[in-house]
Amino acid sequence: MLGDGHAGFGGRAGETHREQSRQGAPVRPNNLGEAAEKCVYRHRGCLHPALAPPEESREQAEPAPSSPWPTGHRFAERTRVKHATIHALLAAGHSKRSVARQLGMGLNTILRFSRATVPEQLFTGQWQSRRTKLDVYKPYLDQRWQEGCTSAWKLWEEIKEQGYPDGYGNVRAYVSRSLRGKPQPVGPRPPSARAVTRWILTHPDALPEGDRLQLKAVLANCPELDALTGHVRSFAHMLTHLQGDQLPEWIKAATATDLPSLQRFAQHLERDLDAVIAGLSHPWNSGVVEGHVNRIKMLKRQMFGRTGFELLRKRVLLS
C-alpha cells in the first residue's frame, strides 16, 4: 500500500489489491503513500518554524507612518511632486490662476493643493486604505508567501477554497504591490510536503543524517505528523514481518486519529479486509510477474516505430 513513488518498505498489500482489481473488485487507487502526502500537505504550516522578528525591525515597525501611502507608491509620489511644484510657484509670487494655466490643472485643484500644508493631507477619499474582502485572508497570504509560495494564482486558489468570494485580480494586485518587495526571512527554506512524506515513508535506518534531523524537527513541531509517522511505520512493520493479524487493531487506531486522509485509507481496507490480511500474512505475491510485465512494456516503448514484430519478439525472448 505504500506509494510506488516513495522509497518505502514494500508493496505486498498493493499487489493484493492489484490482483483484486483484475478480478473486478471495486478498489480505489488510493494508497498509504498518497494518504500520507495529503496529511503532510494539510499540516504544511508546521513545516515552517515560527521565526521571531529581530529587535531592530520591531522598533522600526512600532512608529506607524501617518501616511496611508508608503514611500515609493506611484500615486503618493505623484501627489508629493505636484504639491511641491504648486507651493514653489506660489512662493515665487505666481497667482493661483497663473499656476493653474502653467500646469494645465483646474483652479479648484490648485486651491485644494494650496490649502494643504503637507501632501499627506491630500491622501483622502478613494485613495485612502479601505477595508476589502481580502483583508481577512491577508495574514494567510503573508504566511504562505513567507513559506515560499510566490504564485498569485495558487494563493488565490487556496483562499478561494477557504471561502474568498472575489476574483483573481485582487489577489494579484495585493501580491504585486505588497508582497513582491517584502524581504524573505533569513534562513533555510522549509522542506516541501513531498520531501517530508518521502522521509516518513522511508525506513529510519535508510535516512541520511541530515534528513533524519530535519524530520525530527518537523515531528517535534507537529503532533499530528508525529502520529502519522507512527502509524505509517507500524503498518510497514506489519507488512515486512507478515503480521497481517494485527491489521484490524491498526485500522481501529488509524480511524481514531485526526487525520482524514489516513482515516479514509483505513476505512477502505475494511472493504476487502480478508484479502488484505492474507496479503500481509503470506510470503507469496505477484512481484515477479509484475516485474516481467514492466520489462516487456519497456522493450515495447524502446522498439516502437523502429522495426517489425519479429525483432521485437526476439528481444523479448532473448532478454
Side-chain angles (χ1 to χ4, degrees):
M1 278 297 172
L2 294 175
D4 297 335
H6 301 284
F9 302 88
R12 181 173 291 107
E15 292 160 1
T16 304
H17 269 241
R18 284 195 290 270
E19 293 295 332
Q20 295 168 356
S21 63
R22 294 194 189 100
Q23 299 172 7
V27 177
R28 294 175 61 185
N30 294 344
N31 55 30
L32 184 55
E34 294 174 352
E37 185 170 1
K38 290 179 181 178
C39 292
V40 175
Y41 186 79
R42 188 167 183 260
H43 294 274
R44 62 187 180 276
C46 301
L47 308 183
H48 195 292
L51 297 176
E55 294 298 330
E56 295 182 359
S57 62
R58 284 183 183 174
E59 294 175 359
Q60 295 176 359
E62 284 179 1
S66 58
S67 170
W69 288 348
T71 302
H73 195 288
R74 61 182 185 275
F75 296 117
E77 297 304 324
R78 188 184 308 169
T79 302
R80 291 187 178 103
V81 170
K82 288 180 181 179
H83 182 273
T85 304
I86 291 172
H87 278 262
L89 291 173
L90 292 176
H94 295 273
S95 66
K96 294 182 176 61
R97 292 186 183 275
S98 175
V99 173
R101 285 194 302 269
Q102 294 181 50
L103 299 180
M105 297 181 181
L107 180 59
N108 290 333
T109 304
I110 299 300
L111 292 174
R112 184 162 55 88
F113 273 80
S114 65
R115 296 190 193 104
T117 56
V118 292
E120 281 73 19
Q121 294 177 359
L122 300 168
F123 299 164
T124 58
Q126 59 178 327
W127 304 122
Q128 203 171 26
S129 288
R130 293 181 175 179
R131 290 192 59 81
T132 64
K133 297 177 182 177
L134 188 63
D135 291 345
V136 181
Y137 303 93
K138 285 180 180 179
Y140 176 80
L141 295 176
D142 295 343
Q143 177 187 350
R144 294 288 290 125
W145 183 269
Q146 295 297 323
E147 292 174 0
C149 181
T150 58
S151 170
W153 183 270
K154 183 172 179 58
L155 292 173
W156 172 68
E157 288 182 333
E158 291 182 5
I159 64 174
K160 187 178 179 181
E161 293 178 355
Q162 300 177 16
Y164 177 64
D166 284 352
Y168 163 68
N170 294 333
V171 178
R172 181 184 59 186
Y174 176 71
V175 168
S176 61
R177 284 199 307 261
S178 304
L179 297 182
R180 290 290 179 199
K182 181 176 290 188
Q184 296 293 327
V186 179
R189 292 187 62 179
S192 64
R194 186 177 293 271
V196 175
T197 305
R198 176 172 54 82
W199 298 339
I200 293 176
L201 295 174
T202 302
H203 195 284
D205 296 339
L207 276 176
E209 182 66 20
D211 295 347
R212 184 162 59 250
L213 293 177
Q214 290 190 70
L215 177 60
K216 183 178 179 180
V218 169
L219 300 185
N221 197 33
C222 184
E224 289 81 4
L225 294 184
D226 190 23
L228 171 68
T229 304
H231 290 298
V232 169
R233 290 178 176 174
S234 61
F235 187 91
H237 187 270
M238 277 193 306
L239 189 144
T240 54
H241 291 80
L242 302 179
Q243 297 175 347
D245 57 310
Q246 299 180 5
L247 182 62
E249 183 179 351
W250 184 90
I251 292 176
K252 182 178 179 181
T255 307
T257 61
D258 189 20
L259 301 168
S261 299
L262 188 66
Q263 290 177 355
R264 288 192 292 270
F265 171 78
Q267 293 168 357
H268 173 62
L269 294 180
E270 292 181 329
R271 297 172 52 187
D272 304 301
L273 187 59
D274 294 339
V276 179
I277 290 178
L280 293 174
S281 303
H282 301 290
W284 304 288
N285 61 78
S286 59
V288 177
V289 177
E290 294 288 345
H292 285 300
V293 171
N294 289 334
R295 177 178 59 84
I296 293 174
K297 288 181 178 179
M298 178 195 68
L299 294 175
K300 286 174 64 179
R301 286 192 294 270
Q302 290 178 344
M303 300 295 294
F304 180 78
R306 293 179 179 270
T307 183
F309 176 76
E310 291 299 325
L311 183 57
L312 173 62
R313 178 175 179 273
K314 286 184 178 181
R315 280 207 63 185
V316 172
L317 293 177
L318 295 178
S319 63

